[in-house]
Amino acid sequence: MSYQPKDAFYRKAKKEGYRSRAAYKLMELARRFRLIKPGDRVVDLGAAPGGWLQVAVELAGPKGKVVGIDLQPIAPVAANVATMQGDATSAEWQAKIKEALGAPADAVLSDLAPHLSGIRDADIARSIELARMAHRIARELLRPGGGFLVKTFAADELREYFDELKMDFQNVERSRPEATRKGSSEIYFAARGFKGRSA
Ligand SMILES: C[S@@+](CC[C@H](N)C(=O)[O-])C[C@H]1O[C@@H](n2cnc3c(N)ncnc32)[C@H](O)[C@@H]1O
C-alpha cells in the first residue's frame, strides 16, 4: 500500500484487496463518466502500485485489454493486463504501449504525479506539464470517440488546460472524487468523445 495516513479509504482498500486508496477515485469517476465498458482497451499512465489497473480490468472484463506503465515496478495484475516499467513521456515507451495495445485505445487514464519537491510552485508546474504530456499521449493512442481521464493540481493554468482539452474532445468536465484527501488540491478532468487526430 502506497498511501499514508491510514484513513477510511486506506482501510477499505486494504480490506477489499485494492493496492491503493486511489482505486476508489477511478471507481467513482469511471462510473460517473462511463469511461470504461466491457471489452475496452485501456491505457493507464502512472499505474503503480496498480489500484487503477485492478479497477480498469474489472470494468473492461475478460475480453478487454489494459496496459499500465510506471517508473516504478508493478506486480502482475491479471492475464489481460500488460505492465511496463518505464517513462511514459518517452517516445520509445509510447511505441511499446501502442504495440502492446494492438489497436487504438478506447480510454486513456493518467494518474501521473510528480515526485513532490515540497516547493509548491515547482510541484504544480510539473503536475501541469505531466497532464499536458498525458494529453499528447492520449491524442496518439485514442480512437475517435474515446475518453481521457487525467489528474492535475489546482493551478492558474487550469482554465487554459481545460480549453486545450476542449479542442480535442466533445465534452470535458472537471471533478473531485470523494476519495480525494481533504486539503488535497488535486482535480480530475474527464474528457470524452475524442475528435480524432486531425481535429
Ligand atoms: C498517484 S501514483 C498512481 C497511483 C495509481 N493510480 C494506483 O491506483 O495505484 C502516481 C504515479 O505516477 C508515476 N509517474 C510519475 N512520472 C512518471 C513518468 N514520467 N512515467 C511513468 N510513471 C510516472 C509515479 O511513479 C507514481 O507511481
Side-chain angles (χ1 to χ4, degrees):
M1 300 294 298
S2 64
Y3 293 97
Q4 301 290 331
K6 299 179 172 73
D7 63 8
F9 278 107
Y10 173 96
R11 289 193 300 273
K12 190 168 155 72
K14 208 164 170 77
K15 193 167 134 217
E16 295 179 355
Y18 288 105
R19 297 182 188 179
S20 66
R21 64 194 296 295
Y24 297 98
K25 298 181 200 170
L26 181 59
M27 256 179 241
E28 181 182 333
L29 294 168
R31 193 176 304 134
R32 181 177 312 152
F33 298 108
R34 289 189 292 282
L35 288 167
I36 304 170
K37 296 184 309 301
D40 275 358
R41 287 170 206 271
V42 182
V43 176
D44 184 10
L45 308 170
W52 278 30
L53 290 175
Q54 291 173 294
V55 173
V57 75
E58 276 166 25
L59 296 170
K63 295 203 169 116
K65 169 101 200 167
V66 182
V67 180
I69 182 165
D70 203 288
L71 295 169
Q72 305 298 325
I74 306 167
V77 178
N80 53 342
V81 179
T83 55
M84 303 175 180
Q85 184 175 5
D87 181 354
T89 66
S90 85
E92 182 197 340
W93 282 102
Q94 284 159 32
K96 289 185 184 167
I97 295 171
K98 222 174 200 168
E99 197 184 317
L101 269 182
D106 299 290
V108 173
L109 317 173
S110 170
D111 202 20
L112 284 169
H115 187 73
L116 296 180
S117 67
I119 303 164
R120 194 175 168 275
D121 289 352
D123 289 339
I124 287 174
R126 180 70 186 142
S127 153
I128 288 279
E129 195 183 324
L130 283 173
R132 287 205 161 104
M133 285 176 176
H135 176 193
R136 277 200 289 278
I137 300 167
R139 276 180 64 95
E140 287 301 311
L141 299 177
L142 281 176
R143 65 162 170 81
F148 174 47
L149 177 70
V150 59
K151 171 167 77 184
T152 184
F153 292 111
D156 297 342
E157 274 177 88
L158 283 195
R159 181 72 230 179
E160 220 173 297
Y161 185 63
F162 180 89
D163 290 342
E164 289 162 22
L165 291 176
K166 277 294 279 181
M167 296 200 337
D168 276 328
F169 294 87
Q170 305 286 356
N171 179 279
V172 182
E173 289 181 65
R174 47 189 281 176
S175 186
R176 212 177 126 81
E178 209 194 310
T180 304
R181 280 177 193 294
K182 306 277 170 279
S184 161
S185 62
E186 72 183 28
I187 283 169
Y188 288 84
F189 285 100
R192 288 171 297 163
F194 178 50
K195 295 176 188 172
R197 272 201 275 167
S198 55

